[in-house]
Every structure is written in structure tokens, then in C-alpha cells.
Amino acid sequence: MKLAARASRIAVSATAAMAIEAERLRSAGRDLVDFGVGEPDFPTPEHIQAAGIAALEAHFTKYTHTAGIAELKQAIVASHARDFGSSYTANQALVTVGGKHALFNAISILVDHGDEVLVPAPYWVSFCEQIRYSGGTPVIVPCDEARGFALDFDALARAVTPRTKAIVLNSPCNPSGAIFSRELFRSVRELSRQQGIWLVSDECYSRFVYDGDLYSVGAEPGSKDRLVIAGSLSKTYAMTGWRIGFALAPEPLISAMLNLQSHVTSNATSFAQKAAVAALTGPQQPVTEMLAEYRRRRGVMVEGLAAIPGIACGLPAGAFYAYPNVRRLLGRPGGPRTPMEFSTKLLHEAGVVTVPGEAFGTSEHVRLSYATSSAAIRAGLERFASFCTGLLK
């Protein structure tokens, strides 16, 4: 079967691949503890569900404008202003089918064949795949694990070439939980302005910050030119299945992204958009409560990992992932040589689902999501510790 050349540029995400294998084992009767997929275990808050149900009962099930209903676009810019101090208008907003869709739209419109895009590592699994699909080349800039996966601005600036089209920053970061400083963002914005480079800022975890104030580079004075913000309601409001995301960008780029979307998905699901309005304009207490619970779970996860011989794990500053270094457990006789082999062996022998670091551009780590109950975290850590101890013998 001959497929288009662009099909060979992408592969299924390692997150999805591990989930598929885990589901196969569950179907065979295996008892698993799942630290794999980054999905909140909380139900969608009741007032959001009620708004979706009300929309269904009112037969709000037809097409909407491709860019999203006016009420939701206004809610998006108002909530971003409330949380971060920005000043976008509804004409600078686009409602998408999840945050991943917003990123895909932006990269598809911005990146052409031969373009380069700077991507700090570790990075979210879909960044490089989307760049390659668009014909571009991801240029990886490693972050410093010893400094909490901080990004060295000088290293980023040295990676810029005449072919650099964009820089992608994800803060808080999936998978490391790192948060890039305001100073870094300001420096990158100035670099992008000087070099004519676009900055794509993935803010899907922007409300899950454990210490310090919330921040968006979109609130910086004069920052909107050559800036695309991709956001999502999936994690913040436990709405992964509702598939609502958004982009904030200059109107010409929003218009181009809208043209693309009109030929791909058209509008996001109509009644889900009504639920999203309720999420953004309604009580924010559920978000505060989820963050507090994630903080508690973070403590259980990181303390448990730190007690395991051979494991090194820093404290994530945001999101809901731990990203331990397993280098000391790799390459032993009869044991795993790579994080992929480590995760696969851990799944099959201990029944613990993780995602290998190769998915995120590193070669010594695995990702564990603590978006699950504390009881499940403790049970999984017990299995994880037993597995690691066995490798050290």
C-alpha cells in the first residue's frame, strides 16, 4: 500500500502505544496500576455537566460558527484576562477540538518545508510529530535537569538559524512539571521580535502551578505580535472527553487557522461549547480543590520515588507528572537498556503503566502521572520499588 510521504513522518505517540498495550493486558485479566495517560481522575464539575445537559435539552446540537460561539470566545478572552492579566479580543480567539488541535492548526499554518522549530527537551510528545508532518524540522534544545529542567536562554539563542520559523515553549511542562521563568519568556519574546520568529506557547497546564503567581507571556506589554497561545479546558476542568481547546493569536493568523479548521473539523461540538462557557465563567473552586489534591498526591509520589534505590526525582513545580531519572537502573545484566525497555518490562512484570522518556526526547527517564488516587499511587509505588530493587540485585 502506497501512502503519502507525510504519513511516514509521524508515528503513534508512546503515550497511546503504552495505553494500547495496557488495555490489552487488562482485557487478559491483568491487574494494573496506571501512571500512564495524563487524564484527571476527577469527574467534570457538576455545574459544567449541567450546562452541557441543558444545551442538549434545548436542542443546541446543530452547527455553530467554525470559530466557536461568540459567548465562548468572549468567555475565553475574559477568563485569560482574569487569570493572567492579558487583553485579547474575541476576534483574536479560535475555539478548537482540544488544545492539541489548536497546536496543530498553528504549526500547520506557520511551518513550511525546510523550516526549523526550536523545541526544548523534554517536550510533549506531539510537538515534534506535528512539526515533521508540516514538513519542518524540530531542533531540540536540552534543558538542565540539575536545575529543575530549566531552559538556558543562551543555548536557545545559539540554536537560531536563518531557517528558524518558531519556538515552542510548554510551561508548566508535560512531562517534567518544570515552569519557565518570566525572565526567560521575556527574553524569548525579545529574541522572537528581533529575529522575526514566532513563539508558540502551550498553556494547557497553566492553572496547575503549585507555588507563585499564574503567568502567561500573552500578558506582557507588546507581546501579541508573533505569539500564539494554545490552551485547553481538558486538564483544568477535568473535561478531557469534551474536547474543547482554544488559540489566542493575531487576527490574521486566527483567520488562516480558521480557514484550515473549516476544512478539517468545522466547529467544536456545539453543546460542549456551552459547557465550556459554564466552566470558564462559573465557580472556579473545583479547580482550586483539584490543585490542592494534586499537591498532596505530588508529595506522595515524589517522596515514594525518592525512597527507591537507583531513582532520582526532582519536585515538579506544576502540572501533574513526576519525571524520575532511572539511569542507574539501565544497562545491568539481563535488565532494561533504555527507558522504553524499562517501561515495557515494568508493565509486563509489575503491572505498572508508565511512559518512557524517549517519547519526550530524553534517554534516562520515565513519566509517571499522579492524576490518580493516593491509594493507587501508593500501590503502584510499592510495585515500582519492588521492580527496581530486583534490577539492582
Side-chain angles (χ1 to χ4, degrees):
M1 182 182 298
K2 183 174 176 58
L3 303 177
R6 61 183 171 272
S8 65
R9 300 179 201 142
I10 56 175
V12 66
S13 76
T15 308
M18 292 301 292
I20 291 168
E21 179 63 9
E23 185 55 37
R24 187 188 70 79
L25 292 175
R26 282 194 195 93
S27 299
R30 285 292 303 276
D31 172 45
L32 304 179
V33 178
D34 196 341
F35 295 147
V37 178
E39 180 172 42
D41 62 322
F42 301 100
T44 303
E46 290 186 5
H47 71 283
I48 302 174
Q49 294 187 48
I53 292 169
L56 285 168
E57 291 177 339
H59 307 297
F60 192 75
T61 57
K62 308 297 184 183
Y63 289 129
T64 72
H65 191 290
T66 302
I69 60 176
E71 184 183 8
L72 177 53
K73 292 198 295 179
Q74 186 56 48
I76 288 168
V77 299
S79 66
H80 204 269
R82 175 196 68 210
D83 295 336
F84 305 108
S86 62
S87 58
Y88 285 92
T89 67
N91 290 336
Q92 296 169 318
L94 174 67
V95 179
T96 60
V97 186
K100 185 180 295 188
H101 188 204
L103 288 163
F104 183 81
N105 281 347
I107 290 172
S108 296
I109 292 300
L110 292 175
V111 178
D112 212 339
H113 290 271
D115 288 342
E116 296 176 348
V117 180
L118 305 189
V119 182
Y123 48 74
W124 180 57
V125 294
S126 292
F127 290 153
C128 293
E129 302 298 328
Q130 291 184 1
I131 293 164
R132 292 188 187 102
Y133 186 80
S134 297
T137 301
V139 176
I140 308 306
V141 182
C143 293
D144 185 355
E145 182 176 5
R147 296 192 297 127
F149 291 103
L151 176 60
D152 185 328
F153 172 74
D154 290 336
L156 185 76
R158 287 194 298 270
V160 173
T161 74
R163 299 171 65 182
T164 303
K165 187 64 172 289
I167 300 168
V168 177
L169 296 184
N170 173 210
S171 179
C173 175
N174 173 8
S176 70
I179 294 178
F180 297 145
S181 69
R182 296 179 183 220
E183 291 72 24
L184 174 78
F185 269 104
R186 289 166 181 160
S187 297
V188 174
R189 282 297 299 132
E190 183 59 28
L191 176 67
S192 69
R193 190 171 9 251
Q194 292 175 356
Q195 300 291 335
I197 300 169
W198 283 87
L199 171 57
V200 179
S201 181
D202 178 351
E203 296 186 355
C204 287
Y205 294 91
S206 59
R207 294 286 296 276
F208 291 155
V209 173
Y210 296 109
D211 298 294
D213 297 330
L214 301 181
Y215 174 77
S216 169
V217 66
E220 295 286 352
S223 68
K224 293 179 185 177
D225 292 343
R226 293 190 172 274
L227 171 65
V228 184
I229 289 173
S232 171
L233 278 69
S234 293
K235 319 294 180 160
T236 307
Y237 299 101
M239 293 179 67
T240 50
W242 296 79
R243 307 312 303 135
I244 297 291
F246 62 87
L248 297 171
E251 286 188 46
L253 182 57
I254 290 293
S255 178
M257 292 168 66
L258 174 61
N259 290 344
L260 173 62
Q261 184 165 306
S262 71
H263 296 294
V264 181
T265 61
S266 295
N267 60 274
T269 301
S270 53
F271 56 86
Q273 292 188 59
K274 287 289 189 178
V277 172
L280 294 169
T281 63
Q284 300 300 297
Q285 185 63 22
V287 181
T288 302
E289 292 171 353
M290 282 189 279
L291 180 60
E293 179 59 22
Y294 287 140
R295 181 190 296 274
R296 286 188 286 272
R297 295 174 181 181
R298 177 185 66 159
V300 175
M301 177 67 84
V302 174
E303 288 172 15
L305 289 170
I308 301 173
I311 297 292
C313 185
L315 187 69
F320 43 62
Y321 305 104
Y323 201 55
N325 189 306
V326 298
R327 175 179 55 83
R328 292 174 57 196
L329 300 175
L330 301 178
R332 293 174 174 270
R337 296 166 298 174
T338 66
M340 176 64 78
E341 291 182 5
F342 183 97
S343 287
T344 302
K345 192 175 180 68
L346 177 67
L347 173 60
H348 286 271
E349 296 185 8
V352 177
V353 186
T354 59
V355 184
E358 290 96 333
F360 311 108
T362 67
S363 60
E364 298 180 348
H365 305 83
V366 294
R367 191 194 75 177
L368 289 76
S369 168
Y370 49 87
T372 187
S373 70
S374 293
I377 293 171
R378 291 188 178 93
L381 284 173
E382 185 175 341
R383 298 185 188 189
F384 193 94
S386 178
F387 174 80
C388 293
T389 300
L391 294 178
L392 289 170
K393 290 180 178 178

